[in-house]
């Protein structure tokens, strides 16, 4: 019912609210309806009233106070400090006088909210300000600071954008929804630059906008934005499934070239995406091969970001509702459920997903309200892609670490900053805490630390096990003393000259970054070990070492080429992937409920994509499609 | 080499022409290069020179005289009459002072051209005017008159359009031709409204633009012009495969809504298309259900038409060359060979085709210079679609006619105006001439006569047998005295009250037109017969009669409903189709040379399309695709 007009909605709200509520203003703010009132306390005290209204109107609703009833800021801070228990550890209070919200950052946000929201309601009642409560990450995150500052300082601009967006979304539907189709713009029969355009007679929505970081030129690295049906001007919305660059790396380009619309993602995705995009720009700049966008465009993207939690049904265009569901791939990774028209069609896009519980995350969702078509990844879709179980992989890794430490060696694990690194940290912390490997420092180098900090800011998105540890047992494994942040070259030198230890460092394929540096320092001592836990692409240094090359010529610290002899142990441990393996992909296609009429395969090498498609078709009698980039496939 | 600039071409031409030739101007006129000279005789006398130049430049070339050397019109006519033998029967001479051509219409145009062009060269030499020689149809055609008038009277406008088009086509290619794709806009997994958009990084070309005359509303009757990648403004060219409305019926709409580009087709297609489009507009108007375009837009279409003969290689955009080949379906029907980029890709679109020699036409071509992808029709693609041979069908028809005439009855053949009617005329003329059926009048009613007149204007497009009869034996079966044109209601009444005869009348499915009138008059006399030779669609009156319904309620002449008892013989003769049957489709896919990598099926019911696709795939191991409307398929 995106087409319900503001006037109709206003009427319903005014009819349903108790007479004594003085409604000052009702407006759309992006997909939400915002009610400004002079007696916020009446509404806040009647939670059910708003919940029922929201349910009946099928709208997300926010209550804010009218300016006239706001307490002055200094007094508000005092009041908040009186109301909120000290244990909450408030670290910052700021005011957004565009939205009339008071932003409270606290180490224990739960205590600011109070049981069933009692404390936060008290704040509204006493100060008029609507509290927006954020977690102060236990590990300081530079990115989260930056993101929160950008959001706060651009509040006026955001408000304007959201109001405009709100009126666009809530126009009436122009055309009958008698078809829907999907154009493959990148990441079909290939891995990298995931991008697809969902089109209905009324809407154009982009799902993911990635880059292939291994692509040698623009034509292979960037998605096909030149496909004739795509134009930045006509784009209504962008959805980002998760923060990896092959799904979001090209998004700033859209904002550079005139896109003024929203990007929808989960909060962790927004933060991790910002981290990875800025890093990507930085590396490209340092390598003198700049990208066709810069930091300004990441800023603009942030200003247009709208974050949604799993399960929040949201109007994103006149005829499309989006709901995110857990994908189990990395923190904040989401499957997108798109409800088109008034029940005309339902599509699910999995993004990258893991259909298995990991240390970090719950397994991907398989239950949806409806799902006539499914677009699913097929990275490990080949019938030979059966990795060992997570449990076996952990044991294998620990054995190697145990033996290495025992012989007085150091363990180097080159690892990708987001996802696998945190997964390993949880494993290492547990084994070490339980005394199954020696207590040695685990050095965390490069961007991993910052990515981990972001994980600590969003414990709600972690697995139930981890949430239990953090919320109920008060033990956050990420802040364990075992982990030591490495910040500069001197610290690194001390580490390699010091005692046995474990080092997690980027890049994961030794294609640059400090992992290469560590390798040079550690390779010639046979007591050391290097452990590969992720995919090493053809041509990378990681792959050459993995394959057993014993003499590696590299530039040394003096800028001269030097041959490094690989005397350290070289070990590969499979099973830590954030992707579903072949068996899990097949299981997912079988168990997704309701059963889709059509499955479109993406995100896989051609052979694997086709292999999975024919197996699914043969086993479950569901129509499967394996489109190429630049093809358009009917959904309905 | 569409990208060769006019400057380069001018340089080459000036270098290669003998010094004494005074070139006044060289310019692009659509896809052609036109040389204006003050000594046209020198060039005309050196035919090889121009042929070689054209070949080397890969351009079509025209030589015209500079204004300064033109003889005055009156004197020119005199001179022409002196040069051309009287036997040529010149019926009209007119002058186009935009192109400096003299248009000579004659009953025997071959005599105006002369052996190896000697007479026509003589005209140039003596008058300066370049002769454009047209056939005066032995049956007067109103449409051809109209078309020729429109073309002549809009000469200045056409010239301007063509010059602009010339400079567009001959721009340099902007982007690499690294992909090509085809969007299905109509007529995929269905029959009717054939329409597809070929897209390369540099061009947008529409192949056919038809209507489904049986479609109950706009959504099912018209092609999906609202597909996001299509915009009339960005369209470079339209190609029409043949004149049936399901391939060209929606073309005037494009000209109504701003299309200013060319439409390419053969000359018979242009004339027949004009006839059918005007009739369509007329019927829709009479039925008070007007089309979203009118006669003006057919006029505009004519002004933008560029006719090509089979085998003429023509640049139609900066990166696409078009060549038509015989399709054997109806007069002028063409397969389109599209050469994309400098050898990047070659696509063949069959349109509707008959891979069998008919009375009227040669069988469809199977040899192409290259053909990586093939888009073919699948109307009779079901494995049960095996019709009797043409020979058997003819015998069956004649038997029925023979018996009917023998018992003193009249034969009514409801028939579609273009194609099948002329095919039957040839058969009837031959059987009657050879005394195998009685000599009775064959009444030709409705649009059939006009369509036949157009056939007589273009004997070059007929089968070798017919051409031999017409050119060498001087006998044109279409002008046989057996055929009698019916023009009004009184003549019709005389016919039904008269002696045994044969009546060919539209519409072919008794959905309107005079065939219904004849049915009402003839149905209750058991000596008469009605013979169906074409497809009767579900729900049509023809189908009901064919299925054996004996009491038909219809409105009588007084406007009241009356039940007509079907006492006449009802007979169906299969095998006269202009489409290939299943066996011929399979044979075509097997024999097309070179063998394509990919075959895309169109123009067929879903089941038949898929049946043919899987049979071709299984039998010949060629990849086949059966896209839906609104899908886009990669060619390259």
């Amino acid at each position: 019912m995106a087409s319900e007009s503001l006037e109709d909605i206003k009427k319903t709200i005014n009819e349903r609210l108790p007479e004594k509520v003085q409604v000052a203003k009702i407006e759309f703010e992006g997909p939400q309806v915002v009610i400004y009132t002079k007696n916020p306390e009446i509404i806040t005290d009647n939670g059910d009233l708003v919940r029922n209204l929201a349910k009946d109107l099928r709208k997300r609703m926010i209550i804010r106070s009218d300016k006239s009833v706001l307490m002055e800021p200094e007094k508000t801070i005092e009041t908040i400090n009186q109301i909120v228990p000290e244990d909450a550890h408030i670290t910052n209070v700021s005011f957004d006088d565009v939205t009339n919200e008071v932003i409270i950052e606290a180490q224990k946000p739960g205590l600011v909210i109070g049981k069933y929201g009692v404390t936060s309601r008290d704040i509204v009642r006493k100060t008029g300000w609507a509290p927006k409560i954020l977690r102060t990450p236990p590990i300081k995150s530079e990115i989260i600071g930056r993101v929160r500052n950008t959001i706060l300082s651009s509040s006026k601009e955001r408000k304007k954008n959201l109001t405009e967006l709100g009126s666009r979304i809530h126009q009436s539907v122009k055309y009958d929804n008698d078809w829907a189709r999907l154009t493959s713009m990148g990441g079909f029969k290939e891995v990298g630059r995931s991008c697809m355009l969902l089109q209905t007679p009324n809407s154009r929505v982009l799902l993911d906008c990635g880059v292939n970081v291994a692509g040698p030129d623009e034509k292979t690295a960037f998605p096909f934005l030149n496909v004739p049906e795509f134009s930045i001007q006509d784009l209504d919305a962008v959805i980002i499934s998760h923060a990896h660059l092959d799904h979001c790396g090209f998004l700033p380009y859209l904002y550079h070239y005139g896109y003024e619309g929203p990007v929808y993602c989960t909060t962790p995705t927004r933060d991790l995406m910002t981290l990875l995009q800025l890093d990507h720009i930085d590396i490209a700049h340092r390598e003198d091969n700049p990208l066709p966008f810069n930091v300004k465009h990441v800023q603009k993207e942030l200003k247009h970001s709208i974050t949604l939690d799993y399960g929040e049904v949201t109007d994103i265009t006149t005829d499309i509702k989006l709901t995110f569901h857990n994908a189990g791939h990395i923190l904040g990774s989401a499957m997108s459920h798109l409800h088109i028209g008034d029940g005309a069609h339902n599509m699910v896009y999995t993004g990258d997903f893991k259909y298995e519980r990991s240390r970090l995350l719950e397994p991907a969702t398989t239950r949806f309200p409806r799902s006539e078509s499914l677009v699913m990844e097929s990275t490990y879709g080949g019938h030979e892609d059966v990795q060992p179980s997570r449990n076996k992989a952990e044991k294998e890794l620990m054995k190697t670490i145990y033996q290495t430490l025992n012989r007085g060696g150091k363990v180097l694990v080159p690892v990708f900053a987001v996802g696998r690194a945190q997964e390993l940290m949880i494993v290492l912390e547990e084994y070490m805490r339980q005394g199954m490997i020696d207590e040695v420092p685990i050095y965390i180098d490069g961007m991993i630390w910052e990515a981990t900090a972001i994980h600590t800011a969003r414990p709600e998105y972690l697995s139930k096990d981890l949430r239990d540890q953090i919320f109920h047992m008060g033990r956050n494994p990420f802040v364990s003393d075992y982990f030591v942040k490495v910040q500069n070259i001197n610290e690194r030198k001390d580490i390699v000259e010091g005692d046995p230890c474990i080092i997690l460092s980027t890049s994961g394929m030794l294609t640059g970054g400090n992992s290469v540096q560590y390798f040079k320092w550690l390779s010639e001592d046979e007591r050391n070990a290097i452990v590969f836990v992720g995919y090493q692409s053809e041509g990378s240094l990681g792959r050459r070492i993995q394959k057993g090359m014993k003499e590696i010529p590299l530039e040394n610290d003096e800028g001269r080429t030097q041959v490094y002899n690989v005397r350290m142990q070289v070990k590969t441990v499979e099973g830590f992937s954030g992707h579903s393996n072949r068996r899990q992909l097949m299981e997912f296609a079988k168990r997704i409920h309701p059963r889709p009429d059509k499955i479109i395969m993406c995100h896989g090498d051609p052979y694997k994509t086709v292999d999975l498609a024919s197996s699914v078709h043969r086993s479950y009698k569901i129509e499967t499609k394996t489109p190429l980039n630049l093809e358009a496939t009917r959904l309905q």
Side-chain angles (χ1 to χ4, degrees), chain A residues 314 334 339 380 488 502 504 519 527 533:
Chain A
T314 305
H339 176 85
Y380 290 117
N488 60 50
I502 300 166
L504 303 190
F519 167 76
R527 288 174 306 171
V533 291

Side-chain angles (χ1 to χ4, degrees), chain A residues 596-608:
Chain A
D597 303 326
K598 191 185 273 189
I599 302 185
I600 298 166
M601 302 290 172
C602 63
H603 203 285
D605 292 337
Y607 148 72
K608 301 195 175 195

